[in-house]
Amino acid sequence: MTDPSEQAASVPGTSHPAPLPSALAGPLMPVRPWRPLVTGTAVAAALASAGSALAGRPLGVALVGGVGVLALVLGWAPLLNLPSPRGTTAVLATAAATVGVTGWLARPVRSGIGDLDTVLAALAVAITATFIHQLARRDGRPRLVESLVSTVAGVLLIASWAVSLPALTRPGALGIVVVVAAGVVGAAFADIVRGRWVDDIPAVMTAALLAAVGAGACGGLVDAAALNRPILILGGVIAGLGSYSLRQIFFVQPTQSRRRPQLASGAGSWLLVGVVVNALVALAS
């Protein structure tokens, strides 16, 4: 005799189970909660960097990023609830010290953004350290792939900030920092929109529009290495969307109810845009 629950789960006239509802039929996930501290951290880092850039202080821009790196190092393992959190934190701290110092000391060159050979060497050492950390674990290595990939992702966020450091001394580079920061701040307002809507598309479009407005407005007010307005707007949109996307990925993490993970998420979404600053300066060289 067929169980009534099986009959209810079958398509009439066939013996096959009814298909699962399509993802297009409606949202399968709840609305992501908005974490004001996450957004506030990203906005504060962007504004502090822009303020230092307007004051003509590249060291100030670097130090703001350094504070963000510290927040990332301390909060990355709790944010992702990684096994062996002490080892992960030690690897990230090592990466921050080696990649950050080599990035700041990278020799400026006459054309281009700077000599990044030492930065790349330090990055290779940091990534190698993530594998050594996994080999040194004595807990049976649960969630090995997740731990390894997550640690490498944290190292790459730090490296994204570090590769922008040699570019800060180039003519017009500080103006580019201001434009990128404006794009990040503009896109941050879409965090609130995403907290009210389930559909990603309106929020992403809003983030892109606000980032473009912010970058376009600042692009005409600062010396941005003679880059034309469309390129600056495009750079601001890429930076804003990248920063926005990183925060949205982590908004659903249960660990986001704690302060350190929130600070790490917000700081990481600013560190990520260092590579955009690097690319825009390279285009202007």
Side-chain angles (χ1 to χ4, degrees):
M1 185 178 224
T2 305
D3 186 87
S5 62
E6 294 180 359
Q7 290 180 348
S10 301
V11 177
T14 70
S15 59
H16 301 292
L20 293 174
S22 169
L24 300 177
L28 300 180
M29 292 180 60
V31 177
R32 300 183 192 120
W34 176 46
R35 307 290 185 183
L37 182 58
V38 176
T39 305
T41 300
V43 170
L47 292 177
S49 297
S52 297
L54 289 172
R57 297 179 177 176
L59 179 59
V61 178
L63 289 177
V64 171
V67 174
V69 168
L70 178 61
L72 183 79
V73 169
L74 296 177
W76 190 250
L79 172 63
L80 299 176
N81 194 26
L82 297 177
S84 186
R86 292 182 181 178
T88 298
T89 301
V91 169
L92 293 178
T94 302
T98 56
V99 179
V101 170
T102 54
W104 179 251
L105 297 178
R107 180 176 56 87
V109 294
R110 189 167 296 177
S111 62
I113 58 173
D115 184 4
L116 294 178
D117 289 347
T118 55
V119 181
L120 295 177
L123 176 59
V125 170
I127 292 179
T128 302
T130 64
F131 288 92
I132 296 175
H133 163 233
Q134 298 302 325
L135 290 174
R137 287 172 60 183
R138 292 294 180 266
D139 57 355
R141 301 193 189 105
R143 300 161 58 199
L144 172 63
V145 175
E146 181 183 353
S147 177
L148 180 61
V149 172
S150 299
T151 307
V152 170
V155 170
L156 292 179
L157 284 176
I158 296 171
S160 179
W161 159 74
V163 296
S164 70
L165 298 181
L168 296 178
T169 57
R170 299 290 301 172
L174 296 179
I176 291 175
V177 172
V178 174
V179 172
V180 168
V184 171
V185 172
F189 286 100
D191 289 357
I192 305 173
V193 175
R194 187 58 184 83
R196 296 179 180 273
W197 294 344
V198 175
D199 192 359
D200 280 309
I201 295 177
V204 170
M205 293 176 62
T206 301
L209 177 61
L210 292 173
V213 170
C218 289
L221 301 176
V222 296
D223 174 20
L227 288 174
N228 57 45
R229 187 72 65 84
I231 292 179
L232 290 175
I233 293 176
L234 178 60
V237 170
I238 293 173
L241 286 180
S243 180
Y244 167 81
S245 299
L246 186 68
R247 290 191 299 274
Q248 291 302 316
I249 289 172
F250 293 133
F251 271 155
V252 295
Q253 288 288 107
T255 56
Q256 284 270 35
S257 61
R258 302 199 299 270
R259 187 166 299 174
R260 273 200 299 163
Q262 290 184 33
L263 291 172
S265 176
S269 69
W270 170 247
L271 299 175
L272 175 69
V273 305
V275 70
V276 180
V277 173
N278 181 290
L280 289 176
V281 174
L283 284 175
S285 300

